[in-house]
Amino acid sequence: MITRSKLVEQLRDYQIRSQHKCPALTVFSPKPSLSSWIDVAVAIFLALLFSVLLLSSYVTLYLRHYWISLVIICLAIFLPVSLRISRQNLAKKKERRLMLPLSM
């Protein structure tokens, strides 16, 4: 059942999403939305870290250090996956917080 508080929360989420200046950075953000400059700075840092990991894996492949390259590629894959999991966990916590017990 749709309640007023749920509609207000959906409207607020839509307004926050529509204010994004850089939606590509949300992939590297640990939070579902970029609401402050600190979130943007963290997302930029993690995007740069991902780029450095990919570049270093190419260099190690060029130098024929295959095992090191494999480890670096695994770290580069693990970074966005872990960020996605943390965003999903935050969304679940937010959804749980919105659900009030019937006694209230």
Side-chain angles (χ1 to χ4, degrees):
M1 187 164 121
I2 298 175
T3 61
R4 176 181 278 177
S5 62
K6 194 149 189 127
L7 286 173
V8 169
E9 189 65 33
Q10 287 177 354
L11 178 64
R12 188 176 302 132
D13 287 342
Y14 176 75
Q15 288 173 343
I16 289 172
R17 279 194 307 267
S18 66
Q19 292 175 353
H20 287 321
K21 304 279 190 271
C22 44
L25 281 180
T26 56
V27 173
F28 294 104
S29 173
K31 294 184 179 179
S33 62
L34 299 172
S35 57
S36 69
W37 286 106
I38 295 173
D39 296 337
V40 173
V42 169
I44 289 174
F45 172 74
L46 291 173
L48 289 174
L49 178 66
F50 182 74
S51 304
V52 167
L53 285 172
L54 285 181
L55 184 67
S56 62
S57 70
Y58 291 144
V59 169
T60 54
L61 273 176
Y62 178 76
L63 296 174
R64 297 182 186 205
H65 297 288
Y66 300 115
W67 285 105
I68 297 173
S69 177
L70 179 69
V71 169
I72 293 172
I73 288 173
C74 289
L75 287 174
I77 291 172
F78 180 70
L79 179 68
V81 169
S82 63
L83 289 172
R84 181 178 172 104
I85 291 171
S86 70
R87 278 193 307 272
Q88 287 176 348
N89 287 340
L90 282 175
K92 284 180 185 177
K93 285 181 185 177
K94 187 176 182 181
E95 188 70 29
R96 238 183 284 141
R97 187 180 58 209
L98 289 175
M99 297 180 72
L100 296 174
L102 292 176
S103 62
M104 296 181 90

